[in-house]
Amino acid sequence: LYTAPDSCEGRCREPYSEEDECHCDAACERNRNCCRDYHRHCRPEGFSRSHDAITDQDLLHISEQLYEADHNRARPTDIAINPQYQASPDETGDQEDRSPQPLYKYVNEKLFSKPTYSSFIKLLDNYQQATGREEEVTAEELREQDTFLQEVMKTELMKKLFAFLHQKNRYGSVQEFVADLKEMWFGLYSRGDGERDSSGFEHVFSGEVKKGKVSGFHNWIRFYLLEKQGAVNYFSHNFDGPWDTYPDVLGLQFSWGGFYKEVGSAFVGSSPEFEFGLYTLCFIARPGRACHLSLGGYSLSVQTYAWTKATYGHGRRFIATAYVISP
């Protein structure tokens, strides 16, 4: 279902990674493993210049900038969590509830009145839980998508992300960037039975159920709201990030409506624009492989995948998934 990039557009002299299908580094001609369009993009006469490549160092730098710009993140007094049992690697699949108490002891819901939070939360009930059922998108839901995009683009964080991607010649204008965000995140495609039943946003932030298991669902706000309703039951965690403030990272085991999630990694306490922006950055820069970042001086990696069975525009890919890699 997923693939690494098979083009050199914007990847000229990108560091070699064995995870890639084909390569665009300076040695690929000698190694005979260049992408087919290497000459069109990366030779001196090509239009995709080497300085347009997003290097590993670029990712470390811009991710620290985004981390610093997350002004809407939770403060330490806004959230109290109770992680309880830490599961070993061979226990995550047991489907055994080893934590009798809820994960969230307290959340300051004043956070949710902030424009990016409130517009984000309105999107969460727009989706059917099960894949294989056509998503009906109403005019109101389309307006909610536009409102969310408008609100996140007002933030310093998303302005910094656009400035970076504009510098790297990924987008010529804010309007082009926002239009692409709407397609890559909210554009519908089929995960099964030919129905337009899924989108990147639904999968990553709202969650889905496919073949009797929870799929996606990597958002702390969604988890908190459903746990408060009694729809989510927290079982254990297998990973707790190194932070002593927010955003933190947890790898979770839980059930949702009776369906199990073996490992659902998620930021805790980050703003919607932080996750949305960070995942977008990694999807554009490193689709199909680990995207190595630096947040507050700590190393962290995000994995994204493109949906390869459908495209939009001129062959662009929808987001299939994005999540924090937990050890």
Side-chain angles (χ1 to χ4, degrees):
L1 297 181
Y2 311 122
T3 184
D6 57 2
S7 169
C8 281
E9 184 173 1
R11 294 177 54 209
C12 299
R13 300 191 183 278
E14 183 179 85
Y16 174 85
S17 171
E18 62 181 14
E19 299 176 24
D20 288 341
E21 287 186 357
C22 59
H23 305 277
C24 310
D25 58 289
C28 75
E29 287 187 290
R30 184 173 67 251
N31 296 330
R32 297 183 180 181
N33 58 10
C34 297
C35 298
R36 291 181 181 180
D37 58 3
Y38 173 79
H39 285 268
R40 180 158 65 93
H41 291 299
C42 301
R43 301 294 288 179
E45 67 276 9
F47 63 82
S48 184
R49 297 158 300 190
S50 60
H51 68 253
D52 292 343
I54 298 174
T55 67
D56 290 347
Q57 196 62 38
D58 287 335
L59 287 172
L60 297 178
H61 183 67
I62 185 60
S63 56
E64 282 290 1
Q65 286 191 320
L66 299 184
Y67 180 84
E68 288 300 318
D70 187 15
H71 305 306
N72 287 328
R73 76 178 73 162
R75 296 163 301 180
T77 55
D78 286 331
I79 300 176
I81 59 174
N82 183 19
Q84 300 165 82
Y85 189 81
Q86 182 162 359
S88 65
D90 59 354
E91 291 176 322
T92 59
D94 288 353
Q95 303 191 33
E96 184 175 337
D97 185 356
R98 295 181 169 93
S99 300
Q101 302 300 317
L103 173 61
Y104 286 92
K105 291 197 290 186
Y106 169 76
V107 170
N108 178 8
E109 295 194 9
K110 290 181 180 178
L111 281 171
F112 301 159
S113 64
K114 295 184 177 185
T116 57
Y117 283 81
S118 61
S119 59
F120 173 82
I121 290 169
K122 286 181 180 177
L123 294 167
L124 295 175
D125 64 358
N126 291 351
Y127 303 102
Q128 300 189 63
Q129 183 186 44
T131 59
R133 298 178 183 176
E134 182 92 14
E135 292 289 351
E136 300 289 340
V137 183
T138 66
E140 181 181 1
E141 289 172 352
L142 289 173
R143 285 193 296 272
E144 289 174 352
Q145 294 173 10
D146 290 336
T147 299
F148 173 71
L149 291 171
Q150 289 166 10
E151 293 299 339
V152 297
M153 288 306 300
K154 292 176 184 176
T155 65
E156 179 187 347
L157 188 152
M158 289 299 288
K159 288 176 180 177
K160 283 184 178 292
L161 176 60
F162 168 73
F164 172 76
L165 295 172
H166 178 65
Q167 179 191 7
K168 294 294 183 179
N169 287 313
R170 296 307 195 275
Y171 298 100
S173 68
V174 172
Q175 292 76 14
E176 181 189 351
F177 181 44
V178 173
D180 198 40
L181 287 173
K182 187 167 184 178
E183 288 291 343
M184 76 167 73
W185 279 105
F186 294 103
L188 293 173
Y189 51 82
S190 173
R191 286 188 188 263
D193 302 327
E195 303 288 348
R196 295 171 72 229
D197 60 350
S198 186
S199 68
F201 186 92
E202 176 186 7
H203 181 86
V204 173
F205 294 109
S206 184
E208 302 175 296
V209 170
K210 184 176 182 180
K211 296 182 179 178
K213 294 182 179 180
V214 176
S215 183
F217 199 141
H218 299 286
N219 179 254
W220 76 271
I221 300 169
R222 174 70 160 163
F223 190 100
Y224 165 75
L225 292 173
L226 288 177
E227 186 178 59
K228 183 180 176 183
Q229 297 170 17
V232 160
N233 181 20
Y234 170 69
F235 282 20
S236 56
H237 70 287
N238 65 297
F239 172 69
D240 189 351
W243 292 270
D244 56 6
T245 184
Y246 296 113
D248 201 352
V249 174
L250 286 177
L252 308 176
Q253 290 71 52
F254 62 91
S255 69
W256 175 27
F259 302 101
Y260 188 63
K261 180 72 174 181
E262 185 169 337
V263 179
S265 59
F267 288 102
V268 177
S270 54
S271 69
E273 62 266 30
F274 177 79
E275 293 178 62
F276 191 72
L278 209 65
Y279 292 152
T280 297
L281 168 67
C282 286
F283 181 68
I284 292 170
R286 299 288 187 270
R289 55 195 173 96
C291 176
H292 303 299
L293 308 172
S294 179
L295 302 177
Y298 291 102
S299 297
L300 179 139
S301 297
V302 164
Q303 179 74 49
T304 66
Y305 288 109
W307 187 259
T308 64
K309 294 186 176 183
T311 61
Y312 66 90
H314 299 288
R316 294 192 175 190
R317 302 290 191 186
F318 299 102
I319 290 176
T321 193
Y323 55 89
V324 179
I325 299 174
S326 57

